[in-house]
Amino acid sequence: MVAVWPLMVSAQTVAPLHGTIGGGGAGGTGSVIGEAVVQVVRTTYPGSGLTYAPSSIASSLIAMLTGKVEYAVAAAGEMKDAISGAPPFRQSYPAENLSIVGNLLHPAAMVAVVYARREFVEDHGLTSLRDLRDLRAPVRLSTNTFGNVPTARHNRILFDVIGIDEALIEQRGGKDYHLPDTAGLGLLQDSKLDLIVTLGFHPDHRAVQAARAVPLVLLPFGDGVPDEMAKRLGTPVGVIPAGSYDFLEEDYEGSTMGGLFLAAGPKAEDDDTYRLARALYLGMERLKQVHRSFSTMEQDLLVETGGLPMHPAAARFYREVGLLPQQ
């Protein structure tokens, strides 16, 4: 059971909270987390008008950093890319425009996976994703959209580790369609794609549905690849337990994204951000019920910021409840 410290409550503390959280597209991981935060806030502060606005993660970060929305859900690596101006961001954004309200995900909760049509795997004798280096036949795949910054960044590094790239795939007659996972899994279900490389929670109901129409497998990354990815990303190796899918008979190892954070931009008000941190703290049990991947979350993880600065108002609340030391 999560321990809840007794808190001083005032009219301002429990006032309705309004604003917008930006994040990834509907049905994706960011939207699952963003919508969960909205529900926790509305339960904690009745009458709140906080909303979740699905978009690409890159677009949502830019909207937050430029003061168009108050908050955004994103990973630490992608927020650092926005500050430095690394691709897909076309410019750098002021570091002072970004701070963390709370970490919303255990570092090993979101595991990378390769969904593949069993027929394609068997026809070409594939034992791992690394076998694509030697595959001379065309492969139709999706590694998600460029706007899904965490997954796109992860997959660029993954392909570098296994020794392939998009140019090699196209040279052999294949193509990376860079589709959102919902669309990609739909095409996989219709046998119009051969495999999808993505990050997510497991089991993913969209993959479960696709497997009802076409036999699927989880194709391993290859010996040593998850460990090498962990070194490059600075995140732990994740495990999808056997039985998470009907077609998964053994534990599956994949790389992970690390934490996923609720960030605040220049439009966020201090009072709102304080109450938002308070809602995350008080609503932890409800957040853990959203998906079993949240089950390992605990309140002390809220203050793990991935090397990014904590918002002063959020930090003030976390100090009050003992998650951060007093200054």
Side-chain angles (χ1 to χ4, degrees):
M1 175 67 80
V2 174
V4 177
W5 288 47
L7 303 176
M8 297 296 291
V9 177
S10 66
Q12 182 61 30
T13 302
V14 298
L17 201 161
H18 301 278
T20 301
I21 300 174
T29 302
S31 68
V32 170
I33 293 176
E35 292 286 4
V37 171
V38 167
Q39 291 306 313
V40 165
V41 166
R42 291 178 177 177
T43 300
T44 308
Y45 310 117
S48 291
L50 186 69
T51 60
Y52 179 77
S55 182
S56 74
I57 292 174
S59 297
S60 295
L61 271 176
I62 292 170
M64 185 198 74
L65 289 164
T66 55
K68 294 181 176 64
V69 302
E70 290 85 355
Y71 305 101
V73 175
E78 289 58 64
M79 289 188 278
K80 292 173 183 176
D81 286 348
I83 297 303
S84 67
F89 300 97
R90 297 180 180 179
Q91 67 178 73
S92 60
Y93 294 89
E96 60 269 23
N97 282 6
L98 186 150
S99 57
I100 301 301
V101 182
N103 180 12
L104 301 174
L105 193 66
H106 189 280
M110 189 182 295
V111 184
V113 68
V114 183
Y115 299 113
R117 289 192 301 112
R118 180 183 298 168
E119 182 181 20
F120 178 81
V121 169
E122 293 177 349
D123 284 351
H124 297 286
L126 301 181
T127 61
S128 73
L129 186 66
R130 183 170 258 162
D131 291 342
L132 290 184
R133 291 181 305 182
D134 303 315
L135 179 67
R136 300 299 169 181
V139 56
R140 303 166 301 175
L141 76 157
S142 175
T143 57
N144 214 301
T145 66
F146 294 112
N148 187 321
V149 187
T151 303
R153 179 174 179 267
H154 171 276
N155 288 342
R156 284 197 305 270
I157 297 170
L158 174 61
F159 276 25
D160 183 61
V161 168
I162 66 176
I164 63 173
D165 59 23
E166 198 163 340
L168 179 62
I169 291 169
E170 293 182 354
Q171 179 184 330
R172 295 173 178 173
K175 184 175 178 62
D176 186 342
Y177 289 89
H178 293 289
L179 299 167
D181 283 343
T182 299
L185 283 162
L187 291 178
L188 194 69
Q189 174 179 324
D190 295 336
S191 298
K192 294 179 180 178
L193 282 183
D194 301 312
L195 57 88
I196 292 174
V197 187
T198 192
L199 280 155
F201 295 147
H202 304 283
D204 186 321
H205 69 91
R206 299 167 298 179
V208 172
Q209 178 179 330
R212 296 190 183 116
V214 61
L216 298 181
V217 298
L218 295 190
L219 186 65
F221 283 5
D223 290 345
V225 174
D227 290 329
E228 178 61 25
M229 289 294 292
K231 291 178 184 176
R232 295 205 188 188
L233 294 169
T235 61
V237 173
V239 176
I240 304 173
S244 295
Y245 296 95
D246 290 344
F247 49 90
L248 183 61
E249 297 179 355
E250 299 179 352
D251 288 354
Y252 181 97
E253 283 194 346
S255 44
T256 59
M257 190 182 69
L260 199 62
F261 303 89
L262 181 62
K267 189 178 181 181
E269 299 287 344
D270 285 357
D271 286 345
D272 287 342
T273 303
Y274 176 94
R275 294 203 303 281
L276 189 47
R278 179 177 181 272
L280 298 178
Y281 177 83
L282 294 175
M284 182 59 67
E285 285 299 319
R286 185 170 284 104
L287 285 174
K288 291 168 72 169
Q289 295 168 11
V290 171
H291 191 282
R292 72 184 191 185
S293 296
F294 284 82
S295 62
T296 53
M297 275 295 292
E298 296 296 343
Q299 289 170 322
D300 57 357
L301 286 173
L302 287 168
V303 296
E304 295 186 7
T305 65
L308 293 163
M310 178 70 72
H311 191 285
R316 176 163 57 89
F317 172 79
Y318 295 134
R319 283 195 296 272
E320 289 174 5
V321 295
L323 293 183
L324 289 175
Q326 296 293 330
Q327 290 182 331

